[in-house]
Amino acid sequence: MDRNLYERANDCRWWALAAVFAEPAVASDTVRAGRRETIGSILRTINGLYTVYSNLIVLDGDGRIVATSNAASELAGTGARRRHGSRALLRVCADAQGYAVSALRARRRSTTTGPTYIYGAAIRTPQQPQAVGGVAIVFDPSRNCAPC
């Protein structure tokens, strides 16, 4: 179980390094609908390969949800900052090695039936040392780890 959870932290940090998530459209206050769809498509592709996650989320620099991998989650564009602790995520992750993980608990807007962890890492650009956004992953250990 420890190894499995460590891999979740590595995944979110790795995806936070993706240049496509750090492009100016994500870093700005307003993300165009086409850009949201592009990011959502990338997240869906990643989530199709990494099926241990019930959702992958990209946040902008203000902690608003830009796109998700799971359309059923009804989160994209909601600005659900507190639901994902995105403000804390952007402060806690001081560098590319930093990540945050929530407590294991049930989520109101989750598409999973059991409690989940949310892992997150800050998105940065070479030009800006401060976070310009974040990547969050929703992990349901009861569905993905045997035995958990």
Side-chain angles (χ1 to χ4, degrees), residues 9-18 89-90 92-100 120-126 128-131 133 135:
N10 288 337
D11 287 348
C12 69
R13 291 184 299 177
W14 178 250
W15 296 326
L17 297 173
L89 164 69
L90 299 179
V92 168
C93 300
D95 58 32
Q97 294 300 313
Y99 71 95
I123 298 170
R124 293 176 166 41
T125 67
Q128 286 183 274
Q130 71 271 18
V135 172

Side-chain angles (χ1 to χ4, degrees), residues 61-103:
D62 291 325
R64 292 184 302 252
I65 295 169
V66 172
T68 68
S69 65
N70 185 342
S73 70
E74 300 178 18
L75 290 175
T78 63
R81 290 174 216 223
R82 290 180 306 239
R83 303 251 190 276
H84 295 282
S86 56
R87 286 283 200 201
L89 164 69
L90 299 179
R91 283 193 306 269
V92 168
C93 300
D95 58 32
Q97 294 300 313
Y99 71 95
V101 61
S102 72

Side-chain angles (χ1 to χ4, degrees), residues 79-147:
R81 290 174 216 223
R82 290 180 306 239
R83 303 251 190 276
H84 295 282
S86 56
R87 286 283 200 201
L89 164 69
L90 299 179
R91 283 193 306 269
V92 168
C93 300
D95 58 32
Q97 294 300 313
Y99 71 95
V101 61
S102 72
L104 179 66
R105 65 181 179 89
R107 315 278 172 199
R108 283 195 297 155
R109 291 185 170 205
S110 178
T111 57
T112 63
T113 57
T116 61
Y117 290 106
I118 297 178
Y119 283 80
I123 298 170
R124 293 176 166 41
T125 67
Q127 301 80 16
Q128 286 183 274
Q130 71 271 18
V132 297
V135 172
I137 58 176
V138 181
F139 176 66
D140 178 354
S142 66
R143 183 178 86 173
N144 298 294
C145 298

Side-chain angles (χ1 to χ4, degrees), residues 40-64:
S41 176
I42 293 166
L43 293 175
R44 286 187 295 279
T45 298
I46 294 170
N47 206 171
L49 298 170
Y50 290 81
T51 57
V52 298
Y53 302 118
S54 60
N55 207 353
L56 304 176
I57 303 161
V58 168
L59 307 158
D60 69 12
D62 291 325
R64 292 184 302 252

